[in-house]
Amino acid sequence: MNLVDLQRRKITLEEHEIPENYYNIVADMPNKPLPPLNPATLEPIGPEALAPLFPMELIKQEVATDRYVEIPDEVRHIYSIYRPTPLYRAYGLEKALDTPAKIYYKYEGVSPTGSHKPNTAIPQAYYNKQEGVKRITTETGAGQWGSALSFACSKFGLECEVYMVKLSFEHKPYRKIMMNTFGAKVFSSPTNLTEAGRKILAENPETTGSLGIAISEAIERAASDPDTKYALGSVLNHVKLHQTIIGQEAIKQMEKAGEMPDIVIAPFGGGSNFAGLAFPFLRLNFENGSNIRCIASEPSSCPKLTRGEFRYDFGDTVGMTPLLPMYTLGHNFLPAPIHAGGLRYHGAGVIVSQLLKDKLIEAKAHDNVEVFEAGVLFARAEGIIPAPEATHGIATAIAEAKKCKEEGVSKTILFNLCGHGNFDMKAYEDFFAGKITRHELTKEEILASLATLNTPTID
Amino acid sequence: MNLVDLQRRKITLEEHEIPENYYNIVADMPNKPLPPLNPATLEPIGPEALAPLFPMELIKQEVATDRYVEIPDEVRHIYSIYRPTPLYRAYGLEKALDTPAKIYYKYEGVSPTGSHKPNTAIPQAYYNKQEGVKRITTETGAGQWGSALSFACSKFGLECEVYMVKLSFEHKPYRKIMMNTFGAKVFSSPTNLTEAGRKILAENPETTGSLGIAISEAIERAASDPDTKYALGSVLNHVKLHQTIIGQEAIKQMEKAGEMPDIVIAPFGGGSNFAGLAFPFLRLNFENGSNIRCIASEPSSCPKLTRGEFRYDFGDTVGMTPLLPMYTLGHNFLPAPIHAGGLRYHGAGVIVSQLLKDKLIEAKAHDNVEVFEAGVLFARAEGIIPAPEATHGIATAIAEAKKCKEEGVSKTILFNLCGHGNFDMKAYEDFFAGKITRHELTKEEILASLATLNTPTID
């Protein structure tokens, strides 16, 4: 008989250990976020502007100042379909790197749609249902967010309408079918169903669509029907709030593992995935004087955190939103066509931007080729093919682990593996075919994009 | 504060609870399997015939009679990347069916390649490595087995060559890229690398290939190089043996849940997935006088268990293997082009066939449309999109749960959710588009296929 004790690779929690509250970092921030501004008057605007689009409870959360927001029982019950998610010690990756560092990762790919997005889709669907909403609309590009909301709506008996950018609709049919499987209606945007869509189609019947157009359609639909609301999958404060369930679980799991991370890492797009893991660890820094480094990992071809400017800018590309105080490359910035899904967004969420400004978090950019090399190394070592977005966090973790080896020190590194790559194999195909190449963004390109802004700067 | 106790949906085990032995049901069978026959002489043949293709340890396992076979430490360490796999109480499905039955499922989709196949790929790669083999060849159709072996070889530093049926190679590129990601070489079969391939190409340059051709190529390559062996992903006894890790874990998990199943269900192709879950429960029937019903779920368009004949037949379509005593539709049987991957095999493994003959297990067939309806219902209720193969087990579980409701009794049902459908969304697309229709196989079609056999019958 073989009585060897296996190393403990996976640290799990029971359903009753699903956190009972979301953590609202605003309560602990030394400098609170600046207010959003009305782009016409440049006056601060209040949450009431959001009322036509979102249920009241989410609007309250958007401006909440309490440290904790209770998670409703029904939401925790739906969470229990996939939460608590596992935390892994990356023995395979440590061995492949021959590093003295201890590497852990929190794995959000076990969710029904394979990423962290259901963490906010579920409470958003719940609060809409509570307030009598019948239908939620949203936009989706690659499909990650649309599929998460489709799943969440199916659990609460809500209709779900997804406006999917035509180019993706035609080139990424499997995400669309996943949404159909969960019962959602998916439209190729622009459609004939909205004024915005009809206008675009009249001007250019051959358009392949854009996220901006899809947003306009989803918002128009919600604004014109009292039974319909709209939902957003990143950037906003309430979205980040919901994602803090990730980091709160991770703290319990690290405690079970008997240690705390020196470095916490997550990929960075709009900020919700990073916020989700990092904010609860930042709470430890605020409360206990811990000194945990939190690093946001972004693509070097869309480097708003490492090379952008902290100023007011629009949240969308067409200039319909309030002006938000954020690190931005300018809302007209168009990143190179890289395989990094949501990481191609021009700006960073408001809270994360303020934290970076105050040097409470760090940021690191990685080249396109470097992240795919990290992804393939990780897949072979750990047996999970990561989503292209997730490879950015892996690249930072590998860089820090290599530094440990060079310096001969052992640090504990934790990163967020925010999703699997099962629906992203085309990206790996391109990588193996040599179609993914290094991309150097010049200082001039960034300055040119920022020069197009006439929005307020911040001292 | 919300202090509600969540229902316990997921029953997990720790790494040290990974079973230490495989369970060999042959030791407990009242009637042992009949021997394979040499098709030329009709004499029983021994395991030595397998020596050019398989390492000695696997050949020993193929004919083992001991009740337990120890799992090597290194294999358990690789297993710990994804094992123990979770067992779920299907509260969502129970609610959707409004049934008094308690439904559980063991979920094998958490493996690196999304199915139960790595359970045997890992020990097969290990034993080859132990015996100095440098390279393993295999064939793959849809790609499920090829990707599992690719992963396993990457963990032991073995080269892996996969001969993938040309039609799949061209239509299912993502499985191919998954294999590449794990470091395997994947060839579109027929190739110019083997005599078998060259011969076929000379006769028909436009061929789209077949599993039979791919097997011939993989075997030729292994037989002609002393550093190379061949691996098979189902049907053989040692493959079934390795899969028993599933049922042994499930027994521990059901004990933790405080009950034992009345009914155990698994999809049936060659038999390894069914054997994996059911054999350890059959051991309880043998040892403790338990009376657990074990049901194999097959497609009604390939119904070897429910409508086939128990007789000697070839294991492959070209007639190269020894004659095996099995339930079969005849090795020339060509099922309708349904979306059920490995469930389209014409015969059943030897051990499972003997158990069915002896009425120690049951079988049930489901129509194509019924299984996809079951799959979509399950996805919405439980948040996992099942592989088309896996939907067959779900359909049987639903049928039994409905019977419980009709009869007003509560039974405990456990089924094997052998894999996720992330790489099978085309099948769901076809289902939603109405392209999957009911298919009635006539008695005449089955008799006509069996009439082509001139192999020995069994009384």
Side-chain angles (χ1 to χ4, degrees), chain A residues 2 8-10 14-15 20 73 77 80-81 112 155 177 180-182 379-383 422 429, chain B residues 2 6 8-10 14-15 20 73 77 80-81 112 155 177 180-182 379-383 422 429:
Chain A
N2 166 7
R8 193 166 177 196
R9 194 189 288 269
K10 184 164 35 173
E14 304 273 338
E15 280 89 341
E20 294 168 5
D73 282 8
H77 273 94
S80 78
I81 289 178
K155 297 313 292 178
I177 301 158
N180 293 148
T181 305
F182 289 128
R380 293 182 188 170
E382 293 292 319
N422 290 356
E429 181 175 36
Chain B
N2 165 8
L6 291 181
R8 190 164 179 197
R9 194 189 289 270
K10 184 164 33 173
E14 304 272 338
E15 281 87 341
E20 294 169 5
D73 282 8
H77 273 95
S80 78
I81 289 178
K155 297 313 293 177
I177 300 159
N180 294 147
T181 305
F182 288 128
R380 292 182 190 172
E382 292 292 318
N422 290 356
E429 181 176 36

Side-chain angles (χ1 to χ4, degrees), chain B residues 150-361:
Chain B
S150 301
F151 166 72
C153 285
S154 84
K155 297 313 293 177
F156 290 105
L158 289 162
E159 290 177 37
C160 184
E161 279 185 12
V162 181
Y163 292 82
M164 187 172 189
V165 178
K166 186 178 176 188
L167 191 72
S168 295
F169 186 93
E170 290 175 353
H171 286 85
K172 298 185 174 172
Y174 295 160
R175 276 282 169 195
K176 171 194 168 287
I177 300 159
M178 179 185 255
M179 294 183 245
N180 294 147
T181 305
F182 288 128
K185 286 185 193 157
V186 186
F187 302 110
S188 174
S189 168
T191 72
N192 272 313
L193 303 171
T194 66
E195 273 188 42
R198 286 188 293 268
K199 183 159 172 288
I200 300 282
L201 286 173
E203 288 166 5
N204 180 6
E206 301 306 312
T207 177
T208 54
S210 74
L211 207 56
I213 298 169
I215 292 174
S216 304
E217 292 205 280
I219 288 182
E220 180 186 325
R221 185 83 172 89
S224 62
D225 178 351
D227 287 338
T228 303
K229 295 279 183 191
Y230 168 75
L232 201 64
S234 188
V235 180
L236 295 180
N237 296 350
H238 68 268
V239 178
K240 293 194 175 66
L241 179 76
H242 300 154
Q243 294 292 356
T244 59
I245 195 161
I246 301 173
Q248 293 186 79
E249 285 181 6
I251 288 174
K252 290 187 198 183
Q253 287 162 310
M254 292 303 300
E255 281 168 355
K256 279 200 179 184
E259 49 197 338
M260 271 296 132
D262 300 299
I263 306 172
V264 169
I265 296 163
F268 194 94
S272 77
N273 154 18
F274 172 78
L277 182 65
F279 285 4
F281 286 97
L282 288 173
R283 180 177 68 77
L284 301 185
N285 286 356
F286 292 133
E287 286 184 5
N288 314 338
S290 297
N291 194 20
I292 300 167
R293 290 173 59 202
C294 293
I295 309 176
S297 309
E298 64 181 6
S300 58
S301 36
C302 191
K304 58 248 184 184
L305 296 177
T306 51
R307 299 175 74 188
E309 183 181 346
F310 183 61
R311 66 178 294 165
Y312 274 98
D313 193 7
F314 290 103
D316 64 333
T317 45
V318 250
M320 288 170 63
T321 70
L323 290 168
L324 302 170
M326 48 155 66
Y327 277 90
T328 180
L329 295 163
H331 64 273
N332 297 313
F333 179 79
L334 201 66
I338 54 166
H339 287 289
L343 308 194
R344 299 177 74 233
Y345 185 64
H346 69 276
V350 167
I351 294 175
V352 178
S353 291
Q354 187 64 50
L355 292 169
L356 183 65
K357 174 75 176 161
D358 293 340
K359 297 189 168 42
L360 296 169
I361 62 171

Side-chain angles (χ1 to χ4, degrees), chain A residues 129-402:
Chain A
K129 179 73 177 181
Q130 286 296 103
E131 299 186 22
V133 173
K134 299 271 187 293
R135 185 182 301 105
I136 305 182
T137 65
T138 198
E139 72 286 339
T140 204
Q144 196 60 269
W145 167 242
S147 49
L149 191 66
S150 301
F151 166 73
C153 285
S154 84
K155 297 313 292 178
F156 290 103
L158 288 162
E159 289 178 37
C160 184
E161 279 185 12
V162 182
Y163 293 81
M164 186 172 189
V165 177
K166 185 179 178 188
L167 190 72
S168 296
F169 187 92
E170 290 176 353
H171 285 85
K172 297 184 174 174
Y174 295 160
R175 276 281 170 196
K176 172 194 167 287
I177 301 158
M178 178 185 256
M179 294 183 246
N180 293 148
T181 305
F182 289 128
K185 286 184 192 158
V186 187
F187 302 110
S188 175
S189 167
T191 72
N192 272 313
L193 302 172
T194 65
E195 273 188 41
R198 286 188 292 268
K199 184 160 173 287
I200 300 280
L201 285 172
E203 288 166 5
N204 180 6
E206 300 306 313
T207 177
T208 53
S210 74
L211 207 56
I213 298 169
I215 291 174
S216 303
E217 292 205 280
I219 288 181
E220 180 186 324
R221 185 86 172 87
S224 62
D225 178 352
D227 287 338
T228 304
K229 296 278 182 190
Y230 168 74
L232 201 65
S234 189
V235 180
L236 295 180
N237 295 351
H238 68 268
V239 178
K240 293 193 174 68
L241 179 76
H242 300 155
Q243 293 292 354
T244 59
I245 195 161
I246 301 173
Q248 292 186 81
E249 284 181 8
I251 288 174
K252 290 187 199 183
Q253 287 163 312
M254 292 303 301
E255 280 168 354
K256 278 201 180 184
E259 49 196 337
M260 272 295 133
D262 300 299
I263 306 171
V264 169
I265 295 163
F268 194 94
S272 78
N273 153 19
F274 172 79
L277 183 65
F279 285 5
F281 286 97
L282 287 173
R283 181 178 67 78
L284 301 185
N285 286 356
F286 292 132
E287 285 185 5
N288 315 338
S290 298
N291 194 20
I292 300 166
R293 290 174 58 204
C294 293
I295 310 177
S297 309
E298 65 180 6
S300 58
S301 36
C302 191
K304 59 248 184 185
L305 296 177
T306 52
R307 299 174 73 187
E309 185 181 345
F310 183 61
R311 66 178 293 165
Y312 273 98
D313 194 7
F314 291 103
D316 65 332
T317 44
V318 250
M320 289 171 62
T321 70
L323 289 169
L324 302 169
M326 49 156 64
Y327 277 90
T328 181
L329 295 163
H331 64 273
N332 298 312
F333 180 79
L334 201 67
I338 54 166
H339 287 289
L343 309 192
R344 301 176 72 232
Y345 184 64
H346 70 275
V350 168
I351 294 175
V352 178
S353 291
Q354 187 64 49
L355 292 168
L356 183 65
K357 174 76 176 162
D358 292 341
K359 296 190 168 45
L360 296 169
I361 62 170
E362 303 170 38
K364 192 158 163 44
H366 297 279
D367 182 82
N368 219 8
V369 172
E370 183 187 1
V371 298
F372 273 96
E373 286 170 350
V376 172
L377 176 68
F378 182 84
R380 293 182 188 170
E382 293 292 319
I384 299 170
I385 299 179
E389 293 88 343
T391 60
H392 292 75
I394 298 171
T396 302
I398 289 175
E400 292 293 334
K402 284 182 174 170

